[in-house]
Amino acid sequence: MTVTCGLPQGSILGPLLFLIYINDIYTAVRCKLLLYADDSALLVSGKDTQLIQESLSSELEAAREWLINNKLSLHLGKTESILFGSKRKLNTCSSIQVRCAGTTLASQTHVKYLGIDLDQSLTGERVADKIICKSNAKLNFLYRHTKTINMKTKKLLTTALIQCHFDYACSSWFSGLTKKYKSRLQCTQNKVIRFILNAPARTHIGLREFRLVNMLPVELRVKQLKLNLVYNVINDKAPKYMSNLIM
């Protein structure tokens, strides 16, 4: 059938055409607006919680009116608010009341944005907990098949199924972790290396083992990815907006 309005679900051009369609939504708001396909976020900063609430409510209402005028709709049931700050300041006020179209948005202590769990103090602990949980679950699954796969295949599978969780957006959450959480992440990676090498559970993982599997410890891997990003930005191999932020 001929599609006269909208786009088929799951089409290849869908995300690009959607971005083009909403590209001028930023003109409707005065605060910072983050756009990633239909996953959008409004950011307002300040020291007065009351002013933040009022500003966010006003900006969200303006965005809603723009969407209506462009034959789109805002799903308030899926829209959430969160107040970021230091733990000391959050002890005095940990939530905000943002209103739009007569509805008060749910105020959360943590939100998921682009696959990352953001807590109010941006510690990264929720991200680390999920990585450890997912890694252990997938490692347990792989151990059931350890007799049928060689070392090369083990390295390939752990890179594709486990290491990707350690790497994803690590620049945004790893630095905020405490030594305890960094140690837990390293212990989880050590389990992965023992699996690849078919080593006993209490085998010490040192420089020799890392070289055998051609891997870096978690903290050094994060530094490597950060340096790669900076290199790409400096050499114009990254999106232009990133160059504008750090150059």
Side-chain angles (χ1 to χ4, degrees):
M1 297 178 64
T2 302
V3 178
T4 59
C5 182
L7 290 163
Q9 179 71 26
S11 64
I12 295 174
L13 277 177
L16 177 60
L17 293 175
F18 181 81
L19 285 174
I20 294 172
Y21 189 74
I22 66 166
N23 191 48
D24 63 335
I25 189 175
Y26 74 93
T27 60
V29 297
R30 291 172 294 178
C31 66
K32 191 168 185 178
L33 173 65
L34 303 181
L35 292 173
Y36 189 89
D38 62 343
D39 216 342
S40 308
L42 295 172
L43 299 180
V44 171
S45 60
K47 296 182 179 180
D48 190 321
T49 307
Q50 184 62 35
L51 291 178
I52 291 175
Q53 289 180 170
E54 293 174 0
S55 180
L56 267 177
S57 297
S58 174
E59 298 291 357
L60 187 59
E61 189 63 49
R64 175 177 169 271
E65 289 179 8
W66 184 94
L67 290 168
I68 291 173
N69 291 336
N70 286 272
K71 297 180 175 58
L72 296 170
S73 61
L74 176 64
H75 197 317
L76 291 173
K78 291 185 177 180
T79 306
E80 302 170 323
S81 66
I82 184 171
L83 181 65
F84 295 109
S86 64
K87 291 183 178 180
R88 180 177 61 83
K89 290 185 177 180
L90 289 170
N91 285 333
T92 60
C93 182
S94 61
S95 64
I96 51 177
Q97 301 296 315
V98 179
R99 294 183 61 81
C100 182
T103 301
T104 301
L105 303 187
S107 184
Q108 307 291 354
T109 57
H110 58 88
V111 294
K112 191 170 185 178
Y113 187 65
L114 303 182
I116 294 293
D117 270 305
L118 302 173
D119 58 65
Q120 288 187 289
S121 51
L122 297 175
T123 61
E125 291 178 1
R126 288 185 62 86
V127 182
D129 280 331
K130 286 205 168 186
I131 290 172
I132 293 168
C133 183
K134 288 179 179 178
S135 299
N136 287 332
K138 291 180 178 181
L139 200 55
N140 288 337
F141 170 77
L142 290 174
Y143 261 114
R144 297 175 202 162
H145 307 279
T146 186
K147 293 181 180 179
T148 61
I149 50 180
N150 57 27
M151 179 177 165
K152 182 179 179 181
T153 305
K154 286 180 180 180
K155 175 68 188 304
L156 183 65
L157 288 171
T158 53
T159 300
L161 299 176
I162 298 175
Q163 186 62 45
C164 58
H165 296 299
F166 284 81
D167 292 349
Y168 181 63
C170 59
S171 299
S172 66
W173 54 265
F174 185 82
S175 299
L177 293 177
T178 60
K179 287 185 178 179
K180 174 185 174 182
Y181 269 91
K182 289 180 179 180
S183 177
R184 287 182 61 195
L185 283 172
Q186 188 56 60
C187 286
T188 303
Q189 189 194 45
N190 290 348
K191 291 180 184 178
V192 174
I193 294 173
R194 292 189 188 100
F195 166 74
I196 297 171
L197 298 175
N198 199 30
R202 295 187 178 275
T203 302
H204 172 72
I205 302 300
L207 180 60
R208 175 179 171 275
E209 286 72 25
F210 278 104
R211 284 179 173 173
L212 283 173
V213 297
N214 193 27
M215 292 172 66
L216 289 171
V218 177
E219 191 156 6
L220 290 180
R221 172 65 174 170
V222 172
K223 288 182 179 179
Q224 181 192 43
L225 293 175
K226 285 182 178 180
L227 290 171
N228 285 344
L229 177 61
V230 173
Y231 175 86
N232 288 333
V233 170
I234 291 174
N235 291 277
D236 293 324
K237 295 182 179 181
K240 190 64 179 177
Y241 68 85
M242 299 190 75
S243 301
N244 295 336
L245 287 173
I246 70 170
M247 295 297 283

